[in-house]
Amino acid sequence: GEDVEQSLFLSVREGDSSVINCTYTDSSSTYLYWYKQEPGAGLQLLTYIFSNMDMKQDQRLTVLLNKKDKHLSLRIADTQTGDSAIYFCALIMEYGNKLVFGAGTILRVKS
Amino acid sequence: EPEVTQTPSHQVTQMGQEVILRCVPISNHLYFYWYRQILGQKVEFLVSFYNNEISEKSEIFDDQFSVERPDGSNFTLKIRSTKLEDSAMYFCASSFGTVGTEAFFGQGTRLTVV
């Protein structure tokens, strides 16, 4: 089945950019998502990208998709302490409706 | 802002007991889901539900599990005879459409089987 991998932990200083990476195995993924989970809260959709796109920008968030390398990244510009959370990469396969998640990356922002 | 709500937030149960986890999806949504996350592991898909029937389920969703939409608002996950390995955070989600539409997640129910 599909496998989605993320690095476990990222620590950055307030004001710096954060880059969270994700790799996946199946090239038939159609939509690729980034979810954020704050302590005690559910999974909040941050942004998503369709598989025929290379890049999507939404305010401080930039998503890059490299289909050849099966690599997805989320860049957060001017990272704030409020961005500290767990970030999940997830994708939907062609003809499917279920999200396949990575294990999540813990982002810690130091002030 | 509309949200998915789950109750209870934490449930402790004895092994072998039945539990029902409850969810109230967003009112105009048509697709409903359960996911779970065992501590330290990935969020895993359990089941999707549309038009009053299961549309897809994973290998995890065996005969011990069932889902129901008993009325127009609730969506429940029942585990008939809980095992220690069922201990996890269970997330309910709902969406208006399928692929490409946003799935809204609840805050989760932490199930602890002792």
Side-chain angles (χ1 to χ4, degrees), chain A residues 51-104:
Chain A
S51 58
N52 69 352
M53 299 167 65
D54 297 322
M55 186 183 90
K56 181 178 179 182
Q57 185 149 6
D58 184 1
Q59 299 181 335
R60 292 192 297 122
L61 305 178
T62 303
V63 179
L64 294 177
L65 175 61
N66 182 329
K67 289 184 287 294
K68 176 174 167 292
D69 294 339
K70 298 174 193 168
H71 182 267
L72 181 74
S73 67
L74 174 70
R75 179 176 179 270
I76 306 172
D78 187 25
T79 315
Q80 303 297 305
T81 54
D83 294 325
S84 292
I86 303 175
Y87 290 80
F88 292 92
C89 167
L91 50 86
I92 283 185
M93 313 296 295
E94 193 176 18
Y95 306 123
N97 194 31
K98 65 181 185 187
L99 289 163
V100 179
F101 284 85

Side-chain angles (χ1 to χ4, degrees), chain A residues 5 8 21 25 29 31 33-34 47 51-52 60 66 72 77 81 83 85-86 101-102 108:
Chain A
E5 296 293 336
L8 184 60
N21 294 301
T25 55
S29 308
Y31 285 86
Y33 301 81
W34 285 103
T47 186
S51 58
N52 69 352
R60 292 192 297 122
N66 182 329
L72 181 74
T81 54
D83 294 325
I86 303 175
F101 284 85
R108 179 181 162 221

Side-chain angles (χ1 to χ4, degrees), chain B residues 18-19 24 27 31 34-35 60 70-71 73 95 97 99 101 110:
Chain B
E18 174 183 285
V19 293
V24 178
S27 61
Y31 295 81
W34 283 100
Y35 288 79
I60 304 165
D71 51 44
S73 58
S95 62
V99 177
T101 59
R110 179 163 296 285

Side-chain angles (χ1 to χ4, degrees), chain B residues 22-33:
Chain B
R22 301 180 192 280
C23 171
V24 178
I26 293 172
S27 61
N28 66 339
H29 283 186
L30 303 174
Y31 295 81
F32 314 107
Y33 314 86

Side-chain angles (χ1 to χ4, degrees), chain A residues 2-5 30-31 33 35 37 40-45 48 88 92-93 95-104, chain B residues 31 33 35 37 40-45 48 55-56 58 91 95 97-108:
Chain A
E2 177 63 78
D3 195 24
V4 180
E5 296 293 336
T30 53
Y31 285 86
Y33 301 81
Y35 278 84
Q37 185 182 31
L43 299 166
Q44 174 200 356
L45 178 66
Y48 68 90
F88 292 92
I92 283 185
M93 313 296 295
Y95 306 123
N97 194 31
K98 65 181 185 187
L99 289 163
V100 179
F101 284 85
Chain B
Y31 295 81
Y33 314 86
Y35 288 79
Q37 185 181 29
Q41 298 186 24
K42 296 182 180 182
V43 176
E44 303 170 289
F45 169 80
S48 59
S55 50
E56 189 174 356
S58 71
F91 292 105
S95 62
T98 57
V99 177
T101 59
E102 179 175 358
F104 288 80
F105 282 78
Q107 80 281 15

